[in-house]
Amino acid sequence: MRGSGFPFPLLLLFLFLFFFFLLTPHQAQAQAEHHLLPQFMPEESSAVSHRALIFTQPRAEFPNWLREMTGLSRWPGLDAPYVPAMKFDFRGIPEYARYDQQHCSRTYGVNSCSFDCGLCVGRNDIRHCHHLLQTFDDGPTPDTPTLLHYLKSSGSKVSFFVLGIQVVSFPDIFRSMHREGHLLATHTYGHAHLPSLTTREIVGQLQWSIWAMNATAGVIPRFFRPPFGGVDNRVRAIAERLGLTVVVWDLDTNDWRLNDRSRSAAEIGGQIRTWREGGVKGIMLEHDTTAATVEAGVWISKLVGKTNYTVADCRELGMAWYQ
């Protein structure tokens, strides 16, 4: 530093003070939130959206009965094909204009009873419950076992709405979910917005999800939650013909926003406390897709307390879990 006109020790002191005062306020804020809800804070900043973490290299065995029925030799990718050999009865399925997610103009003035474009609930849909219960979408994922471990230790049961492609990507985790006594339902095969698809494509999404669950754990689901809440009377008619009951939700935790930090742990924790203290009952929408949302699920379970209620208990006389 000779000849620079500025002593080197003073330069170091200046840099130290600059970074100290720059970072300290942010560190204090982060520590305050961490102590408020320690299990609830995402550990990483992630740009993951509420769409599922999709894995397109299935690991589950493709059974011989599916080979014979479909003429295929492996599990499909996200776009599960319609298989003519299943002989689905298309008679009486209503036809409505297809619409993309968040583009609702085609539903205006049409009696299609769209949930995502108007919150219309079908006569057989399940949207509310006389219990406060947790439901998780988009799994199984590598983070699901953390949630399963806590639920097992607390003795609680929940409802999982699984993606077929995730089931065959993580078959051992899916079998653990079944073995530990949780209700397993379908969330389609590849997380498609169903009203934007053709009728045959909708059948393919639902049928392949059923086949994935049956081939992996021997269950045929009775309950179905449409991705993005995308359901109208055409989708309902197809689901009903496959023996499925539509389940939506009335309490959205928005936990997926933890992944990009657009919603904080404190905000979600405060919302759950408000529901619990106010005696609110209903179906909470959650996700077991990332470490952040799974940590949220564990914390919410602690706030709600032990429960064995599932979506099958939302009807007065209860319903069988599977077909």
Side-chain angles (χ1 to χ4, degrees), residues 72-113:
L72 302 177
S73 60
R74 60 183 179 180
W75 295 104
L78 296 178
D79 299 323
Y82 169 70
V83 178
M86 67 176 292
K87 298 180 179 180
F88 183 85
D89 183 5
F90 291 95
R91 293 174 298 177
I93 301 296
E95 286 295 335
Y96 297 105
R98 294 156 57 187
Y99 64 92
D100 295 329
Q101 183 192 3
Q102 297 181 345
H103 291 79
C104 297
S105 60
R106 289 190 174 188
T107 68
Y108 299 159
V110 179
N111 189 26
S112 61
C113 192

Side-chain angles (χ1 to χ4, degrees), residues 18-308:
F18 173 80
F19 284 108
F20 176 83
F21 286 108
L22 177 68
L23 295 178
T24 297
H26 299 285
Q27 292 173 336
Q29 180 179 2
Q31 289 176 356
E33 283 198 353
H34 180 76
H35 288 303
L36 178 63
L37 293 174
Q39 301 92 338
F40 209 56
M41 285 294 293
E43 295 180 358
E44 301 179 13
S45 177
S46 172
V48 179
S49 72
H50 69 295
R51 181 174 168 83
L53 296 177
I54 299 297
F55 297 85
T56 55
Q57 295 181 342
R59 307 171 189 176
E61 179 183 357
F62 195 73
N64 288 331
W65 59 268
L66 264 182
R67 293 173 184 266
E68 296 173 0
M69 180 185 301
T70 65
L72 302 177
S73 60
R74 60 183 179 180
W75 295 104
L78 296 178
D79 299 323
Y82 169 70
V83 178
M86 67 176 292
K87 298 180 179 180
F88 183 85
D89 183 5
F90 291 95
R91 293 174 298 177
I93 301 296
E95 286 295 335
Y96 297 105
R98 294 156 57 187
Y99 64 92
D100 295 329
Q101 183 192 3
Q102 297 181 345
H103 291 79
C104 297
S105 60
R106 289 190 174 188
T107 68
Y108 299 159
V110 179
N111 189 26
S112 61
C113 192
S114 167
F115 181 75
D116 59 324
C117 289
L119 297 180
C120 182
V121 180
R123 67 181 185 278
N124 293 322
D125 294 359
I126 297 176
R127 189 192 181 194
H128 183 67
C129 200
H130 46 279
H131 309 285
L132 182 60
L133 53 88
Q134 292 183 276
T135 66
F136 293 88
D137 286 6
D138 296 351
T141 72
D143 290 298
T144 303
T146 300
L147 178 60
L148 293 177
H149 177 75
Y150 174 75
L151 293 172
K152 184 176 182 179
S153 68
S154 67
S156 293
K157 306 298 180 188
V158 300
S159 304
F160 286 101
F161 290 86
V162 299
L163 293 170
I165 196 167
Q166 302 288 75
V167 169
V168 297
S169 295
F170 301 101
D172 291 337
I173 297 176
F174 182 69
R175 283 188 281 264
S176 294
M177 297 159 76
H178 179 244
R179 185 170 56 250
E180 294 178 14
H182 301 288
L183 185 148
L184 305 175
T186 177
H187 195 43
T188 74
Y189 187 81
H191 207 269
H193 179 256
L194 298 181
S196 67
L197 304 183
T198 68
T199 296
R200 287 176 178 264
E201 289 170 338
I202 296 171
V203 173
Q205 281 287 325
L206 293 177
Q207 187 63 79
W208 277 99
S209 72
I210 294 171
W211 286 338
M213 295 174 69
N214 190 20
T216 306
V219 297
I220 299 178
R222 179 176 297 277
F223 300 100
F224 150 62
R225 174 176 283 159
F228 313 104
V231 61
D232 59 11
N233 281 340
R234 180 170 64 110
V235 176
R236 289 185 183 91
I238 296 169
E240 183 177 347
R241 201 151 292 182
L242 292 171
L244 299 171
T245 297
V246 173
V247 180
V248 282
W249 64 90
D250 55 353
L251 300 174
D252 193 346
T253 66
N254 285 298
D255 61 341
W256 59 271
R257 291 174 57 191
L258 288 169
N259 295 314
D260 63 7
R261 296 183 181 269
S262 63
R263 188 165 171 81
S264 72
E267 288 174 320
I268 297 179
Q271 182 180 58
I272 301 302
R273 287 193 182 94
T274 298
W275 289 342
R276 184 194 61 184
E277 294 169 2
V280 173
K281 308 297 182 185
I283 299 172
M284 290 188 287
L285 175 62
E286 303 175 59
H287 300 81
D288 57 318
T289 48
T290 66
T293 60
V294 163
E295 289 172 4
V298 170
W299 182 254
I300 291 172
S301 183
K302 291 178 179 180
L303 290 176
V304 172
K306 177 183 176 181
T307 176
N308 290 316

